[in-house]
């Protein structure tokens, strides 16, 4: 199906964006081995990344009740930070 501005009329995207599948933000770790996706359903999904990677899901973190609008890795180390529309910041590491 379609999503975003092309969502079917039966989905009320203006009032419940979680009804749609999508990614709001992406970050790639400096070592280029994983990337994180902040999703519309309030989860942060972490995937393998790289030329030889199959893009396997390695973690799915669900701390937000709303869209995860920002994800970032610390410049040094493996710390991952994310923020949601609900107004708070969370973090995690490997």
């Amino acid at each position: 199906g379609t999503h975003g501005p092309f969502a079917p009329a039966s989905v009320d995207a203006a009032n419940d964006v979680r009804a749609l599948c999508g990614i709001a933000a992406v970050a790639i770790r400096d070592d280029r081995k994983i990337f994180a996706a902040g999703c519309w359903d309030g989860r942060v999904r972490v995937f393998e990344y790289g030329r030889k990677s199959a893009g396997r899901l390695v973690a799915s973190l669900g701390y937000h009740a709303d869209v995860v609008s920002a994800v970032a890795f610390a410049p040094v180390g493996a710390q991952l930070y994310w923020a949601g529309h609900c107004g708070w910041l969370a973090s995690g590491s490997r």
Side-chain angles (χ1 to χ4, degrees), residues 3-92:
H3 54 79
F6 306 104
S10 62
V11 176
D12 186 1
N15 292 321
D16 189 5
V17 73
R18 292 172 302 155
L20 306 172
C21 295
I23 296 172
V26 173
I28 301 170
R29 197 168 68 185
D30 283 347
D31 66 4
R32 298 189 182 274
K33 291 184 178 181
I34 63 171
F35 76 93
C39 300
W40 293 357
D41 65 359
R43 301 188 75 77
V44 174
R45 291 177 173 85
V46 182
F47 298 89
E48 290 179 334
Y49 181 76
R51 191 177 313 167
K52 296 180 182 180
S53 167
R56 181 178 62 95
L57 177 69
V58 295
S60 181
L61 312 168
Y63 297 106
H64 290 278
D66 206 345
V67 176
V68 175
S69 55
V71 290
F73 286 98
V76 177
Q79 194 76 17
L80 172 63
Y81 298 91
W82 62 92
H85 284 211
C86 58
W88 58 275
L89 175 75
S91 69

